[in-house]
Amino acid sequence: MAERGLEPSPAAVAALPPEVRAQLAELELELSEGDITQKGYEKKRSKLLSPYSPQTQETDSIGQKERNQTPAPTAAQTSAPSKYHRSRSGGARDERYRSDIHTEAVQAALAKHKEQKMALPMPTKRRSTFVQSPADACTPPENVSAPPDVTATTSSSSSSLRPANIDLPPSGIVKGMHKGSNRSSLMDTADGVPVNSRVSTKIQQLLNTLKRPKRPPLKEFFVDDSEEIVEVPQPDPNQPKPEGRQMTPVKGEPLGVICNWPPALESALQRWGSTQAKCPCLTGLDVTGKPVYTLTYGKLWSRSLKLAYTLLNKLGTKNEPVLKPGDRVALVYPNNDPVMFMVAFYGCLLAEVIPVPIEVPLTRKDAGGQQIGFLLGSCGIALALTSEICLKGLPKTQNGEIVQFKGWPRLKWVVTDSKYLSKPPKDWQPHISPAGTEPAYIEYKTSKEGSVMGVTVSRLAMLSQCQALSQACNYSEGETVVNVLDFKKDAGLWHGMFANVMNKMHTISVPYSVMKTCPLSWVQRVHAHKAKVALVKCRDLHWAMMAHRDQRDVSLSSLRMLIVTDGANPWSVSSCDAFLSLFQSHGLKPEAICPCATSAEAMTVAIRRPGVPGAPLPGRAILSMNGLSYGVIRVNTEDKNSALTVQDVGHVMPGGMMCIVKPDGLPQLCKTDEIGEICVSSRTGGMMYFGLAGVTKNTFEVIPVTSSGSPVGDIPFIRSGLLGFVGPGSLVFVVGKMDGLLMVSGRRHNADDIVATGLAVESIKTVYRGRIAVFSVSVFYDERIVVVAEQRPDASEEDSFQWMSRVLQAIDSIHQVGVYCLALVPANTLPKTPLGGIHISQTKQLFLEGSLHPCNILMCPHTCVTNLPKPRQKQPGVGPASVMVGNLVAGKRIAQAAGRDLGQIEENDLVRKHQFLAEILQWRAQATPDHVLFMLLNAKGTTVCTASCLQLHKRAERIASVLGDKGHLNAGDNVVLLYPPGIELIAAFYGCLYAGCIPVTVRPPHAQNLTATLPTVRMVVDVSKAACVLTTQTLMRLLKSREAAAAVDVKTWPAIIDTDDLPRKRLPQLYKPPTPEMLAYLDFSVSTTGMLTGVKMSHSAVNALCRAIKLQCELYSSRQIAICLDPYCGLGFALWCLCSVYSGHQSVLIPPMELENNLFLWLATVNQYKIRDTFCSYSVMELCTKGLGNQVEVLKTRGINLSCIRTCVVVAEERPRVSLQQSFSKLFKDIGLSPRAVSTTFGSRVNVAICLQGTSGPDPTTVYVDLKSLRHDRVRLVERGAPQSLLLSESGKILPGVKVVIVNPETKGPVGDSHLGEIWVNSPHTASGYYTIYDSETLQADHFNTRLSFGDAAQTLWARTGYLGFVRRTELTAATGERHDALYVVGALDETLELRGLRYHPIDIETSVSRVHRSIAECAVFTWTNLLVVVVELCGSEQEALDLVPLVTNVVLEEHYLIVGVVVVVDPGVVPINSRGEKQRMHLRDSFLADQLDPIYVAYNM
């Protein structure tokens, strides 16, 4: 930066005024704390210094120019330090992928991308989360005047419990309120969300990125409305197709017959051990790379004999030997002890037991260790051979025994050091028969899925492999071979342990541990021993090149063969070239480089023979990547960026035969220009997977067929697992492995190629080259590519993100395939294979189960997922009437239902006589003055207050007189009642009725959380135009306190009257309303969408409501009910304040907040008073289910028994939470709760009680509906356990006098019962309208007095509940004798998300998300500009935060066919929940967009 370059000198700074210096220091601090961005820092700093420094202004403009010219650190800038890095980059195992051609190609592709560069939004991360992230990774928005933090109490991470019932202030929306009337605090933009917040800009960036067209164009077709069709990728008409003729199997040269070749490998050992005892056979090295021990042929023979004898005769008793010929034995030897291993291996062969070499287990839970255990178990292994040193190093339990490894069978460990072996008697000879098809040894192999299989090799195959290798490599007696490979398997075993014994050669074994400390050790061994042959991998070539400056004077002129055993990796060619160009000056002959291809099943597939000096080297194949992805060989002509250069791996093995077959389906022969799986037929391959007959048949007994399906000959071939083709001159080319094959949308990609592309993006600063895993996961009917890499600890957040976006672009450009997920994990956290590679299948498993713990992640579902069904187009044209007629013709009922008819039910004369609740209370005070109506309990379960009919009446009279005297109120004035749940509230309510005032019950503010709760109170007071507030002294002080003044304007409260000490004075006369249609009370409530709505309840509605509840629940004066609910609105208020006075039953009142201090309170009360009917809320039920889940025994010992309960009713205004109800029922079944007892109610703003289970009538029914149809507003019932099914429960029985019809919300016409529609209700207790400042007539008429658009001759007036649901006729009989119609509520219309033309209910998506990982405590979804945002609360450790991103994205895609746009991970308690236990998603949305959530991580999916 220019400004930083010309900073004022220290002297100049010292000369600045002290206040400027202080401001500068403060700025520095802000920058170091991360409270300000670098850019913001520089801006403010230059502003501060500008008056004192004349040059800074000019430099600022220069800086600006320079900055504009260099938008991002380009490759040129970053590559300066890279040379230094490359000279010795840490775990650079995978320089095998290094290709300068490829790097150029990638740079070119990236440059092309840069021209059309899109800004990707960088994920937001909380600074504390990951140690690796630097200080400036998380900067708050520049403006400090962000809106107040409404979630302050909820986001304190220390208390994981969500504060109980907090009704957050509504987002400033009041139904029917004018725009101008009190929205000053919110800007009038997108739902009152401040626009300059950082989140909105990121989302805007994301949207811009997503506007780019997807690559595969979607095909045009109509989608049937009821069924979503997943887009099937159509084959590209221009894709290349193979045009060659069908290939014919290629034969290798005949296997020469050499007269002195032994009849079995053991015979060769016997011959050399007896005749050439002094000849060296094998040399082991110490850690420094110096030869430490040489095993001669004589020693190998004698020690193997001792071991064979001991195994057969000395382990058990004579009659019961532990081992018999043919048994299998595990060989557990470390990679630095080839000598002990060789003795053990040949000892087993001589004893005719079958060795199974495996890795030394390091911990109880090694990566893939369990699968090794499975192999040992299936081989029936009970014995493990090992060396004394190795045994000492194995993990032990406290009492010194070797631990039981996870998944392993019980093993007996046998130490094979010479001193523990017995010398065989003179007459004992091993049985060596000519080699046949009996098993010789088993080599383990890990499949793509991570399972371990044992490839069984017969004695004949072992011998034939030695003969073929000896002929192909032209081995001769006494040659020296340097082996850097693992000697327990593959080429290391075949060349270094078998072929050397066959030909009396001398092997020098260089272990992996030595290579790590001294990468040049193998070159030094070749030089020192004048070795003729070296066995290496590309990795070893790279390591030698990196270290070669340390050694000027080595010579490789003795080498006639440098066998590169991973020549099958297409990227080996660049390693070989680079090595040759460096070491040719050290005597390395170009013709000595011999790549070969091997596999566990087919053993050596092909090997390049040592060339003749001076002969031309074989050519290369330069193939088109695009062609390869369609399995076709095309020489690359058009675009040099997407080319793959491959070298041959020589010819077919002597005596072998090779063909290429299609990789999947029938083993059909490929055409000559087609890529397929290489199969070989020879005696030199494996014979089977041990114990797996089915898989064996598909792999080891393949008979290729022609295109017409007829078999080619009768010789069985073995699938090698390698993909390739046979080129000109019968040269074999390998382009990849079956295990690394990723099939995406019908095209094949090779994991190795993708790794190479990722590494060609200048990655030195960000990731470890050798630590990249590429695999595919199956999501939404296709494979998706996942790339996981280990990030360097010093990589900055910016660098990593930069690298990730460039890798995505490079892979997209070169391979034409999208990466679904790119994750970076902290260094050294990926599971390793024994030789240091990455354990791919284990990594994939960790990714899928959410325990990979990435520190950076980038998901690109928008780019990759191109097979989503087309968005649904609403088909216009068919009118509602035709739909109805269509339904009737199809024999579908119109969806409607009704409760019992009120008119036919006789009742005592009470109702006839009294039309008003106040009159009923007066009548009861005279008729039954001492009958107790209410009992209030505290947390201890003791009664703190009771009210008889007379006490309540007297108390109400006093309150009425205070209202007249102190408040000077007139009839019809509104009075806010601000009380904690209790009897005081009830008395104040009736006091208002006596005085002719209109009561408005409001939840009191939370003393500890005034900023969040007081604005709601203030808003209700303002909106209801209350003339005064009745409350307690404590709350009165709180309303006027200094803390309250910080939240609202306390000077403008209406008159506040406390009712603690009332004068004993009564009204001369009580008020009687002129008509029952007069207003009785106002019911205010904040909906889940943040709407504050008040509805008007008339006296006649109150009467009708109480009567309906009385009839449904059979309430009368001898009954007792227990209520554990909030008494401020809806049915909770009616049950708490109204019903007892009307029906005369006794209500035991339990304030829900008391449960937090004593979870047992509610259930203990029910048990103590033997209550038959109890009412609660979902939050109470959840509290008991979660809190008492493990306390059922305690409940039993306390003698709590719930068998008295006849109905336990959850009061709710939402879809019944079936799983919570079921958990509650199951949990307390043991203490007598009948499962039939638990039910739910349904009410809404327009009608607080539509359904209530009641005491008679059939039990609530449940149905399973198809989620896919629900999205189309259809209802299709399915069986339990059907995929994509949703369990719904009936919301109780419809109350007497209530009629319900299901209506299409758009056309307002009735629908048939197979449709989802809005629930409309007609009943005498429907509210009479919204109470608003400006009476908005249209809303009023639409919601409260609306008519069906057709089909209703009676022109009934309906109220719209705003909830979607459906009616189903059941097989049960209702009280009237007719079949019972059940009403099912699906969800609130306001809350539904319209995405891709379909209707989604947030709760369904949330249920899927909550299931996906054990650390998700709660979850909420909402949409923003058509993007789906998922907020999850993380209850685990913060390192799990990023594990959730792919899991959440996957599950929503799989189950809901939606792509998640943003995943936000937050602390527990951040999702706001209101007093009814409902999520307030709109508040959450506003807080998110205003950047107030303090998220742990925000991922923006591409």
Side-chain angles (χ1 to χ4, degrees):
M1 289 277 167
E3 299 106 300
R4 304 303 300 269
L6 291 166
E7 288 191 336
S9 66
V13 172
L16 292 171
E19 63 273 20
V20 176
R21 288 208 305 261
Q23 283 169 302
L24 275 177
E26 201 174 336
L27 262 184
E28 291 285 353
L29 183 67
E30 281 185 25
L31 179 67
S32 66
E33 293 283 348
D35 294 337
I36 185 171
T37 59
Q38 182 73 34
K39 198 168 165 190
Y41 164 81
E42 267 143 21
K43 204 165 160 189
K44 285 188 175 174
R45 182 186 163 89
S46 54
K47 197 170 166 189
L48 269 177
L49 294 176
S50 55
Y52 308 100
S53 141
Q55 338 95 302
T56 45
Q57 285 148 1
E58 305 147 38
T59 55
D60 206 39
S61 57
I62 300 168
Q64 201 58 44
K65 275 187 205 139
E66 287 186 12
R67 219 175 304 149
N68 295 348
Q69 285 161 357
T70 56
T74 53
Q77 291 167 314
T78 50
S79 60
S82 65
K83 286 196 181 66
Y84 161 74
H85 271 289
R86 203 170 304 144
S87 68
R88 196 66 201 266
S89 72
R93 174 179 79 83
D94 274 19
E95 291 286 348
R96 59 177 186 186
Y97 290 113
R98 180 106 197 141
S99 155
D100 294 326
I101 310 167
H102 196 53
T103 311
E104 271 166 46
V106 169
Q107 297 301 345
L110 288 174
K112 206 161 75 184
H113 254 280
K114 206 173 220 131
E115 292 156 23
Q116 45 195 20
K117 190 166 179 290
M118 299 294 289
L120 304 184
M122 201 170 132
T124 317
K125 185 183 286 190
R126 184 188 296 168
R127 222 177 347 180
S128 65
T129 311
F130 305 95
V131 194
Q132 298 200 355
S133 67
D136 53 18
C138 175
T139 47
E142 310 291 5
N143 64 317
V144 189
S145 59
D149 185 357
V150 285
T151 52
T153 52
T154 51
S155 63
S156 63
S157 50
S158 54
S159 67
S160 61
L161 275 173
R162 160 179 292 105
N165 49 29
I166 286 181
D167 276 325
L168 289 183
S171 356
I173 308 160
V174 177
K175 280 207 178 150
M177 204 168 140
H178 259 279
K179 265 279 164 61
S181 69
N182 184 9
R183 298 204 42 187
S184 51
S185 61
L186 296 154
M187 292 147 68
D188 252 13
T189 57
D191 294 346
V193 172
V195 177
N196 54 0
S197 84
R198 178 176 52 158
V199 178
S200 341
T201 20
K202 293 215 168 173
I203 290 187
Q204 203 43 57
Q205 260 180 318
L206 180 52
L207 285 171
N208 295 343
T209 315
L210 299 181
K211 278 181 192 145
R212 286 185 297 181
K214 297 185 177 180
R215 178 165 276 101
L218 289 168
K219 298 285 166 286
E220 293 300 321
F221 60 78
F222 278 106
V223 178
D224 173 28
D225 198 29
S226 66
E227 194 46 76
E228 298 169 296
I229 300 167
V230 176
E231 178 87 20
V232 181
Q234 302 295 323
D236 177 359
N238 306 324
Q239 74 177 53
K241 298 193 171 47
E243 296 152 5
R245 54 176 178 74
Q246 183 180 298
M247 68 116 26
T248 48
V250 183
K251 280 193 164 72
E253 72 262 35
L255 194 56
V257 182
I258 294 176
C259 50
N260 66 349
W261 263 356
L265 191 56
E266 301 91 326
S267 313
L269 173 61
Q270 184 175 24
R271 173 181 163 192
W272 304 128
S274 322
T275 65
Q276 305 275 343
K278 292 273 189 292
C279 285
C281 169
L282 174 69
T283 298
L285 306 183
D286 66 7
V287 278
T288 62
K290 300 277 180 293
V292 68
Y293 180 81
T294 297
L295 183 71
T296 60
Y297 278 97
K299 273 274 180 276
L300 174 59
W301 170 243
S302 62
R303 283 168 65 180
S304 307
L305 269 184
K306 272 166 88 172
L307 179 60
Y309 176 72
T310 307
L311 289 178
L312 291 176
N313 301 295
K314 292 294 180 194
L315 293 182
T317 60
K318 197 159 194 177
N319 303 332
E320 282 189 33
V322 172
L323 277 181
K324 328 183 273 306
D327 285 351
R328 288 153 299 282
V329 182
L331 264 52
V332 184
Y333 291 91
N335 286 322
N336 56 6
D337 197 351
V339 172
M340 291 296 288
F341 173 82
M342 192 169 197
V343 170
F345 194 92
Y346 279 101
C348 290
L349 292 185
L350 292 175
E352 294 181 288
V353 297
I354 299 167
V356 183
I358 57 169
E359 306 304 333
V360 178
L362 301 174
T363 60
R364 191 172 149 5
K365 290 184 178 167
D366 273 357
Q370 201 169 346
Q371 281 77 17
I372 292 273
F374 177 76
L375 171 72
L376 297 179
S378 59
C379 288
I381 291 177
L383 204 66
L385 307 187
T386 188
S387 66
E388 192 168 20
I389 297 175
C390 183
L391 190 71
K392 282 191 182 135
L394 290 176
K396 312 275 192 302
T397 58
Q398 276 147 351
N399 53 12
E401 290 174 16
I402 291 169
V403 299
Q404 180 62 29
F405 296 108
K406 196 173 175 199
W408 282 35
R410 280 228 164 278
L411 292 181
K412 182 178 173 188
W413 294 84
V414 174
V415 176
T416 61
D417 295 54
S418 267
K419 54 184 172 185
Y420 299 110
L421 304 179
S422 317
K423 207 167 178 211
K426 288 274 189 291
D427 57 347
W428 187 84
Q429 278 300 319
H431 174 243
I432 301 176
S433 58
T437 53
E438 62 282 352
Y441 71 98
I442 294 175
E443 177 172 318
Y444 82 87
K445 158 195 199 270
T446 308
S447 75
K448 186 178 182 176
E449 287 70 44
S451 54
V452 171
M453 302 184 298
V455 176
T456 311
V457 179
S458 68
R459 289 179 67 227
L460 183 59
M462 183 167 70
L463 182 70
S464 311
Q465 175 74 0
C466 288
Q467 294 169 342
L469 283 177
S470 303
Q471 181 172 331
C473 301
N474 203 356
Y475 282 144
S476 56
E477 287 183 23
E479 279 190 317
T480 307
V481 180
V482 172
N483 176 24
V484 194
L485 308 176
D486 180 2
F487 51 75
K488 294 194 288 298
K489 53 191 296 191
D490 212 85
L493 180 66
W494 309 327
H495 290 265
M497 294 270 162
F498 298 169
N500 74 328
V501 169
M502 182 88 169
N503 297 295
K504 200 192 72 161
M505 302 193 315
H506 178 195
T507 300
I508 292 152
S509 193
V510 183
Y512 178 64
S513 52
V514 171
M515 284 296 293
K516 282 210 304 206
T517 52
C518 172
L520 206 63
S521 52
W522 72 267
V523 177
Q524 292 162 347
R525 286 300 106 213
V526 170
H527 171 75
H529 294 268
K530 303 275 183 288
K532 288 284 203 303
V533 180
L535 291 153
V536 295
K537 285 192 157 171
C538 293
R539 172 197 71 200
D540 309 315
L541 301 181
H542 270 289
W543 285 11
M545 286 190 285
M546 276 161 45
H548 109 281
R549 289 196 194 85
D550 313 344
Q551 278 288 341
R552 297 261 184 285
D553 52 350
V554 288
S555 161
L556 297 182
S557 55
S558 61
L559 278 184
R560 60 182 190 83
M561 278 189 96
L562 176 61
I563 301 177
V564 183
T565 52
D566 53 356
N569 177 346
W571 297 96
S572 63
V573 57
S574 54
S575 316
C576 295
D577 289 354
F579 187 79
L580 178 63
S581 69
L582 193 59
F583 280 95
Q584 200 159 1
S585 58
H586 292 264
L588 178 65
K589 303 189 257 307
E591 66 274 7
I593 294 182
C594 299
C596 75
T598 65
S599 84
E601 292 83 355
M603 300 178 78
T604 309
V605 174
I607 185 165
R608 196 188 288 174
R609 316 294 196 259
V612 181
L617 293 169
R620 307 276 165 84
I622 299 175
L623 307 176
S624 142
M625 285 265 197
N626 186 43
L628 285 178
S629 74
Y630 292 106
V632 179
I633 301 159
R634 287 288 174 271
V635 172
N636 186 39
T637 47
E638 70 282 358
D639 176 9
K640 83 173 194 7
N641 288 345
S642 52
L644 181 66
T645 305
V646 199
Q647 64 180 348
D648 67 281
V649 288
H651 291 90
V652 186
M653 293 296 282
M657 192 151 68
M658 176 185 290
C659 65
I660 313 286
V661 303
K662 301 227 157 135
D664 25 44
L666 279 176
Q668 188 185 327
L669 285 176
C670 288
K671 297 189 169 150
T672 48
D673 60 345
E674 197 175 358
I675 302 281
E677 185 174 5
I678 299 175
C679 295
V680 293
S681 136
S682 67
R683 301 185 307 171
T684 68
M687 56 191 269
M688 62 176 179
Y689 291 127
F690 190 90
L692 301 171
V695 203
T696 294
K697 200 160 183 54
N698 290 341
T699 307
F700 293 93
E701 299 163 26
V702 177
I703 304 278
V705 296
T706 59
S707 50
S708 58
S710 53
V712 181
D714 50 3
I715 311 166
F717 279 75
I718 301 172
R719 286 183 184 269
S720 68
L722 301 175
L723 291 167
F725 60 97
V726 178
S730 297
L731 285 174
V732 181
F733 290 86
V734 177
V735 296
K737 296 188 176 63
M738 287 293 285
D739 280 357
L741 195 61
L742 313 169
M743 279 295 281
V744 181
S745 309
R747 289 173 60 209
R748 302 183 200 155
H749 303 278
N750 190 334
D752 280 341
D753 298 351
I754 288 176
V755 171
T757 300
L759 287 175
V761 175
E762 196 52 71
S763 60
I764 297 289
K765 294 164 70 170
T766 315
V767 297
Y768 290 103
R769 298 191 65 84
R771 315 280 308 141
I772 295 192
V774 173
F775 51 86
S776 65
V777 292
S778 178
V779 182
F780 197 64
Y781 308 104
D782 200 355
E783 292 297 307
R784 315 281 173 197
I785 294 179
V786 179
V787 180
V788 183
E790 282 189 5
Q791 178 176 320
R792 293 175 174 274
D794 50 358
S796 77
E797 210 63 27
E798 295 280 348
D799 283 349
S800 304
F801 187 71
Q802 184 79 22
W803 181 76
M804 290 164 90
S805 10
R806 296 178 68 196
V807 166
L808 295 178
Q809 292 165 358
I811 292 174
D812 186 80
S813 229
I814 287 176
H815 303 276
Q816 275 97 49
V817 67
V819 174
Y820 178 67
C821 175
L822 174 49
L824 298 184
V825 299
N828 274 324
T829 53
L830 287 181
K832 293 187 172 64
T833 58
L835 287 178
I838 289 179
H839 202 292
I840 304 277
S841 58
Q842 193 99 4
T843 305
K844 175 174 173 176
Q845 193 182 336
L846 291 175
F847 173 79
L848 288 174
E849 66 190 26
S851 37
L852 194 59
H853 308 328
C855 50
N856 264 313
I857 200 158
L858 197 51
M859 303 269 314
C860 308
H862 292 278
T863 343
C864 290
V865 180
T866 49
N867 59 338
L868 281 173
K870 276 182 71 91
R872 167 187 173 207
Q873 308 292 322
K874 295 260 167 65
Q875 310 295 342
V878 180
S882 346
V883 173
M884 181 170 172
V885 172
N887 281 330
L888 294 174
V889 170
K892 287 182 187 157
R893 259 171 22 101
I894 289 301
Q896 54 192 26
R900 290 179 291 168
D901 192 348
L902 268 175
Q904 299 168 354
I905 306 166
E906 276 314 308
E907 213 187 337
N908 61 11
D909 58 350
L910 168 71
V911 172
R912 297 277 176 275
K913 217 164 52 188
H914 304 294
Q915 287 180 301
F916 302 105
L917 209 49
E919 292 182 343
I920 298 177
L921 178 56
Q922 293 159 40
W923 172 77
R924 286 200 187 280
Q926 289 162 0
T928 54
D930 301 327
H931 173 62
V932 177
L933 286 177
F934 298 103
M935 285 170 63
L936 179 70
L937 305 184
N938 66 5
K940 295 198 174 88
T942 48
T943 307
V944 282
C945 180
T946 61
S948 66
C949 301
L950 185 60
Q951 285 167 329
L952 185 62
H953 166 65
K954 288 228 167 114
R955 179 100 186 141
E957 280 191 318
R958 288 191 207 162
I959 289 176
S961 75
V962 166
L963 282 172
D965 297 352
K966 276 199 196 170
H968 312 296
L969 299 192
N970 307 318
D973 280 347
N974 296 346
V975 177
V976 163
L977 311 184
L978 205 60
Y979 290 97
I983 292 175
E984 198 61 25
L985 173 71
I986 303 169
F989 177 80
Y990 287 99
C992 288
L993 294 190
Y994 282 2
C997 297
I998 313 296
V1000 184
T1001 49
V1002 180
R1003 163 191 309 285
H1006 200 289
Q1008 270 75 52
N1009 191 12
L1010 285 178
T1011 43
T1013 53
L1014 196 56
T1016 311
V1017 177
R1018 178 80 226 198
M1019 198 167 232
V1020 178
V1021 170
D1022 294 346
V1023 172
S1024 64
K1025 300 198 297 262
C1028 94
V1029 177
L1030 285 185
T1031 184
T1032 63
Q1033 273 176 6
T1034 324
L1035 282 168
M1036 181 164 151
R1037 280 198 297 274
L1038 187 64
L1039 290 183
K1040 296 182 170 175
S1041 68
R1042 198 186 297 134
E1043 291 77 25
V1048 296
D1049 179 4
V1050 294
K1051 296 196 178 70
T1052 53
W1053 286 118
I1056 302 179
I1057 302 175
D1058 83 83
T1059 55
D1060 287 5
D1061 307 310
L1062 293 171
R1064 293 185 175 280
K1065 190 175 168 195
R1066 40 185 298 203
L1067 281 181
Q1069 83 190 60
L1070 299 181
Y1071 173 82
K1072 180 177 177 182
T1075 73
E1077 273 58 57
M1078 294 286 287
L1079 204 50
Y1081 71 93
L1082 293 180
D1083 183 328
F1084 272 92
S1085 150
V1086 178
S1087 78
T1088 50
T1089 51
M1091 288 279 204
L1092 174 67
T1093 332
V1095 293
K1096 302 188 283 199
M1097 289 294 283
S1098 68
H1099 287 281
S1100 61
V1102 169
N1103 245 15
L1105 173 64
C1106 291
R1107 184 169 174 216
I1109 294 172
K1110 173 185 169 144
L1111 295 169
Q1112 193 83 326
C1113 299
E1114 299 176 6
L1115 300 173
Y1116 29 85
S1117 44
S1118 59
R1119 298 285 305 286
Q1120 235 185 352
I1121 67 171
I1123 304 174
C1124 189
L1125 278 175
D1126 274 322
Y1128 299 106
C1129 59
L1131 184 53
F1133 167 75
L1135 289 164
W1136 191 281
C1137 291
L1138 311 178
C1139 292
S1140 273
V1141 171
Y1142 184 91
S1143 310
H1145 60 270
Q1146 188 184 80
S1147 295
V1148 180
L1149 307 175
I1150 307 166
M1153 53 225 259
E1154 302 289 4
L1155 247 69
E1156 289 177 21
N1157 306 323
N1158 173 9
L1159 284 172
F1160 299 100
L1161 177 62
W1162 173 44
L1163 301 178
T1165 307
V1166 167
N1167 171 61
Q1168 182 185 342
Y1169 295 98
K1170 292 285 169 271
I1171 286 182
R1172 298 192 62 193
D1173 301 290
T1174 178
F1175 295 85
C1176 71
S1177 64
Y1178 274 128
S1179 18
V1180 166
M1181 185 172 268
E1182 189 160 26
L1183 209 56
C1184 289
T1185 311
K1186 284 187 175 164
L1188 300 175
N1190 44 14
Q1191 308 263 335
V1192 179
E1193 291 308 313
V1194 183
L1195 289 167
K1196 279 187 187 162
T1197 52
R1198 289 194 176 190
I1200 293 179
N1201 187 317
L1202 302 183
S1203 52
C1204 54
I1205 296 183
R1206 173 175 59 173
T1207 62
C1208 168
V1209 181
V1210 186
V1211 173
E1213 296 187 6
E1214 57 177 304
R1215 175 200 299 179
R1217 303 188 197 175
V1218 190
S1219 57
L1220 178 58
Q1221 285 169 248
Q1222 289 178 340
S1223 314
F1224 181 79
S1225 305
K1226 278 195 191 121
L1227 195 56
F1228 299 115
K1229 191 179 74 198
D1230 293 353
I1231 52 170
L1233 179 68
S1234 150
R1236 298 172 53 182
V1238 183
S1239 66
T1240 155
T1241 68
F1242 171 59
S1244 68
R1245 286 285 68 208
V1246 297
N1247 188 318
V1248 298
I1250 297 169
C1251 301
L1252 170 60
Q1253 184 54 35
T1255 47
S1256 60
D1259 289 338
T1261 53
T1262 53
V1263 289
Y1264 287 89
V1265 295
D1266 178 51
L1267 263 177
K1268 290 211 283 288
S1269 322
L1270 274 188
R1271 291 173 208 151
H1272 291 271
D1273 293 339
R1274 300 277 181 87
V1275 178
R1276 198 173 111 229
L1277 297 193
V1278 290
E1279 291 301 313
R1280 177 181 176 177
Q1284 300 264 336
S1285 61
L1286 170 68
L1287 173 59
L1288 290 176
S1289 164
E1290 182 184 358
S1291 295
K1293 299 289 162 286
I1294 295 174
L1295 282 168
V1298 175
K1299 292 213 283 286
V1300 167
V1301 63
I1302 306 294
V1303 181
N1304 178 325
E1306 277 93 33
T1307 64
K1308 300 192 179 174
V1311 296
D1313 43 1
S1314 60
H1315 282 258
L1316 183 67
E1318 187 180 5
I1319 302 168
W1320 285 15
V1321 60
N1322 166 278
S1323 100
H1325 62 254
T1326 297
S1328 39
Y1330 288 127
Y1331 183 86
T1332 50
I1333 299 177
Y1334 301 92
D1335 242 3
S1336 146
E1337 288 308 320
T1338 49
L1339 199 64
Q1340 207 75 316
D1342 182 44
H1343 284 202
F1344 288 90
N1345 317 312
T1346 187
R1347 294 186 167 89
L1348 291 174
S1349 54
F1350 64 88
D1352 180 16
Q1355 288 291 302
T1356 318
L1357 284 179
W1358 298 92
R1360 302 179 60 171
T1361 62
Y1363 282 83
L1364 293 170
F1366 60 94
V1367 167
R1368 257 287 175 326
R1369 177 147 275 190
T1370 64
E1371 300 301 318
L1372 307 168
T1373 310
T1376 52
E1378 292 174 19
R1379 276 171 67 195
H1380 164 66
D1381 291 317
L1383 173 66
Y1384 295 93
V1385 178
V1386 176
L1389 192 54
D1390 289 359
E1391 293 249 298
T1392 56
L1393 312 173
E1394 283 261 340
L1395 290 163
R1396 310 187 62 257
L1398 302 170
R1399 203 193 298 278
Y1400 287 88
H1401 295 271
I1403 184 70
D1404 297 325
I1405 300 176
E1406 289 159 0
T1407 307
S1408 300
V1409 169
S1410 298
R1411 269 202 326 264
V1412 89
H1413 195 278
R1414 61 183 179 285
S1415 295
I1416 295 179
E1418 184 58 87
C1419 142
V1421 304
F1422 52 83
T1423 53
W1424 173 250
T1425 53
N1426 277 343
L1427 279 183
L1428 179 64
V1429 181
V1430 179
V1431 179
V1432 288
E1433 290 183 359
L1434 171 75
C1435 60
S1437 73
E1438 287 195 353
Q1439 63 169 11
E1440 292 182 306
L1442 281 78
D1443 284 316
L1444 306 180
V1445 178
L1447 296 182
V1448 166
T1449 309
N1450 292 357
V1451 76
V1452 176
L1453 185 55
E1454 288 270 357
E1455 297 186 7
H1456 302 278
Y1457 298 11
L1458 288 177
I1459 293 179
V1460 177
V1462 185
V1463 181
V1464 187
V1465 185
V1466 295
D1467 294 310
V1470 169
V1471 173
I1473 285 186
N1474 67 13
S1475 49
R1476 295 189 295 275
E1478 300 161 336
K1479 294 175 197 167
Q1480 295 187 289
R1481 299 180 181 90
M1482 292 307 113
H1483 275 309
L1484 185 66
R1485 185 181 85 169
D1486 295 348
S1487 309
F1488 168 65
L1489 293 168
D1491 220 357
Q1492 296 169 341
L1493 291 184
D1494 182 26
I1496 298 171
Y1497 192 80
V1498 184
Y1500 299 93
N1501 285 348
M1502 297 290 109

